[in-house]
Amino acid sequence: MNANDGAAAAPDGPARAGTEPDGDGPARSARLRSALASGWAAGPPRGPSRPEFWRSPLRGPWLTAVFGIVLLFGITILFVTGLLSYAAYEPDLAAVNDQTPGKGWLGFYLFSWPTSPYWLYRVTQGVHVTLGVVLVPVLLAKLWSVIPKLFVWPPVRSAAEALERLSLLLLVGGAGFEFVTGLLNVQLHYIFPGSFYTLHFYGAWVFIGAFAVHVVLRLKRAVRALRAGPRQPAPDSEEAAGLVSPHPAAPTLSRRGALGMVGLGSLALFVVTAGQSLGGWWRRTALLAPHGQEPGSGPNGFQINKTAASVGIRPSDIGPAWRLTVRGAGRQIDVTYAQLLDLPQNEALLPIACVEGWSTADQRWSGVRLTDLAALVGLGTHTPHVLVESVQRGGSFSSVVLSDGQVRDARSLLAVRVNGAVLSRDHGHPARVIVPGAPGVHNTKWVTRLTFGEPS
């Protein structure tokens, strides 16, 4: 019987449309497998799947390893400082603090964010944002150096290789997602759907999982490539790892020159970004930061994240009729602005630091300690946590819960003045919270109610 016998009409006549003769299913599967095997044996199709398509003489295991080691240390620091930033929001205190509901065991490491040193959040978030921007040229160079590996033929040879390819998809996609959303957040440009905090948080865990798998699989090879130095191995050797072109073009730049070019790109980004965190004269160099320049001059001439107009603050909300309501221990008291000024006033030198990476220098705040306000409703030295509410009508973080440790710090104030002047409308007049070490959005402006100790 020849190979076509199985395709002849069955004894009962030709098969009706939409049916298959007995035994034809396995035969078709066999033919499909045979065709796939023949296609793979014939070699990759024309285009990027062919090694000769990639002709750069720079690509090789040494250059890729250098970029990879830089990213290994840089991304590890990014991840750790990102986790610290999330902890600083005290998400376990209350739902109003938690921008990532359903985090489950991903919040295993959370701890009560300290108030000392008072500059802690300013440093950790400044490092997180600045390093993230600085690593962009390195990340792009690393992706460029390994792009032939994304088109290898055949795409998958085994189950283990399929898992590795999946981890690469999550690694490359996760890196792009995290860097892009982070950069958009720095520029206050929220074009993505949903909350930045939720997307960035879950995206970070997906990315770091794929990153850890990649490190385990490739670290030994990267170390060997670094030890071997910048010489190029033979294109078809195992040492080449599929990165060396079999037909390279004439070089126009050395591999060390390529490293220098990427390094200069990172240095340039550092110069135009870091000033937003360093403050002082350096702020003038922060050309990529949305708050790189001082908004006016005078005692209130320092950075803001949201204006009174942007969150719907009306003159009547903060005018003579404004009252501060203090609740706790089953009592409530309403305080006028004049009465607030008559209470004992204290001072604290504190900066404001925001998730976008910008921060101010230390400003001289004056106002009433939160513990003194708690005492108005009979709460003593063991002051509990407090729910702070603002009169703002739009935007996020119109309320926040501060921990008992934050409330009890003598530098935690309901401020009414800054640098000797009355707070401007955009800085929170008539009163705003200022807490050492807290993210800027937790220093609530236009405060109208403080509720101590009750479930939030």
Side-chain angles (χ1 to χ4, degrees):
M1 181 180 292
N2 60 38
N4 291 325
D5 286 343
D12 293 333
R16 296 189 306 272
T19 65
E20 293 182 352
D22 293 341
D24 198 44
R28 287 188 177 183
S29 297
R31 288 198 298 272
L32 179 60
R33 289 195 298 270
S34 177
L36 289 174
S38 299
W40 285 3
R46 292 183 179 276
S49 294
R50 295 195 174 189
E52 58 269 20
F53 180 86
W54 307 101
R55 301 198 60 202
S56 173
L58 302 182
R59 284 193 186 92
W62 179 79
L63 189 64
T64 296
V66 173
F67 292 140
I69 292 299
V70 172
L71 289 174
L72 172 61
F73 288 100
I75 287 176
T76 300
I77 295 173
L78 280 182
F79 185 65
V80 171
T81 52
L83 293 182
L84 291 176
S85 178
Y86 182 59
Y89 281 75
E90 298 278 11
D92 280 346
L93 276 179
V96 295
N97 288 21
D98 193 358
Q99 298 295 308
T100 55
K103 62 185 177 296
W105 61 267
L106 294 180
F108 71 93
Y109 71 96
L110 293 174
F111 58 95
S112 184
W113 189 251
T115 56
S116 292
Y118 71 89
W119 41 258
L120 180 61
Y121 188 76
R122 182 184 184 188
V123 171
T124 58
Q125 194 60 17
V127 169
H128 182 76
V129 172
T130 302
L131 182 59
V133 173
V134 166
L135 285 179
V136 168
V138 185
L139 177 67
L140 294 177
K142 174 66 161 58
L143 292 176
W144 169 86
S145 73
V146 298
I147 196 170
K149 299 286 287 182
L150 301 180
F151 296 92
V152 294
W153 187 266
V156 176
R157 297 183 180 88
S158 65
E161 190 170 291
L163 290 175
E164 183 182 358
R165 299 286 287 178
L166 176 61
S167 72
L168 285 177
L169 176 64
L170 295 176
L171 178 70
V172 175
F177 180 83
E178 286 299 287
F179 276 82
V180 168
T181 55
L183 292 173
L184 288 173
N185 179 63
V186 170
Q187 297 300 323
L188 305 176
H189 194 41
Y190 301 109
I191 60 173
F192 37 80
S195 166
F196 162 76
Y197 300 91
T198 303
L199 295 172
H200 206 64
F201 177 79
Y202 288 119
W205 280 107
V206 171
F207 168 62
I208 205 65
F211 183 72
V213 170
H214 187 70
V215 170
V216 169
L217 294 176
R218 298 298 182 188
L219 184 58
K220 287 185 178 179
R221 176 174 288 180
V223 171
R224 287 199 304 267
L226 288 176
R227 289 175 176 173
R231 68 170 183 83
Q232 290 285 65
D236 56 351
S237 67
E238 182 181 354
E239 187 182 6
L243 299 174
V244 180
S245 173
H247 302 291
T252 58
L253 184 70
S254 69
R255 281 178 284 280
R256 286 191 171 90
L259 285 178
M261 184 173 64
V262 173
L264 285 176
S266 292
L267 178 61
L269 289 176
F270 175 82
V271 170
V272 297
T273 303
Q276 68 168 349
S277 299
L278 297 175
W281 181 90
W282 292 101
R283 190 172 300 281
R284 302 175 186 176
T285 67
L287 303 179
L288 293 186
H291 302 281
Q293 301 297 322
E294 312 257 336
S297 58
N300 281 272
F302 56 94
Q303 287 66 35
I304 57 174
N305 207 19
K306 54 187 176 185
T307 65
S310 69
V311 293
I313 302 296
R314 302 173 302 188
S316 59
D317 295 329
I318 55 177
W322 174 87
R323 296 291 184 271
L324 171 69
T325 300
V326 183
R327 295 175 178 171
R331 298 176 60 185
Q332 175 176 313
I333 185 172
D334 291 330
V335 181
T336 67
Y337 184 65
Q339 291 171 332
L340 187 63
L341 296 179
D342 285 340
L343 292 173
Q345 303 291 304
N346 295 272
E347 290 190 350
L349 284 171
L350 298 173
I352 293 178
C354 275
V355 69
E356 296 89 7
W358 67 266
S359 58
T360 72
D362 292 353
Q363 309 295 324
R364 182 164 55 89
W365 305 91
S366 61
V368 183
R369 286 176 177 161
L370 295 182
T371 51
D372 290 342
L373 291 167
L376 295 178
V377 290
L379 294 171
T381 55
H382 298 292
T383 313
H385 65 269
V386 62
L387 170 64
V388 184
E389 297 176 84
S390 171
V391 299
Q392 75 175 65
R393 288 176 172 78
S396 57
F397 294 102
S398 60
S399 60
V400 70
V401 174
L402 302 176
S403 69
D404 54 1
Q406 291 173 315
V407 173
R408 295 171 190 174
D409 193 296
R411 297 164 294 182
S412 296
L413 306 176
L414 184 67
V416 293
R417 301 175 69 87
V418 63
N419 299 321
V422 174
L423 290 173
S424 67
R425 289 185 61 200
D426 288 339
H427 276 300
H429 178 79
R432 69 172 295 165
V433 162
I434 186 73
V435 176
V441 290
H442 281 195
N443 293 313
T444 308
K445 298 191 283 190
W446 313 291
V447 174
T448 187
R449 185 179 294 111
L450 299 173
T451 305
F452 290 91
E454 298 180 9
S456 304

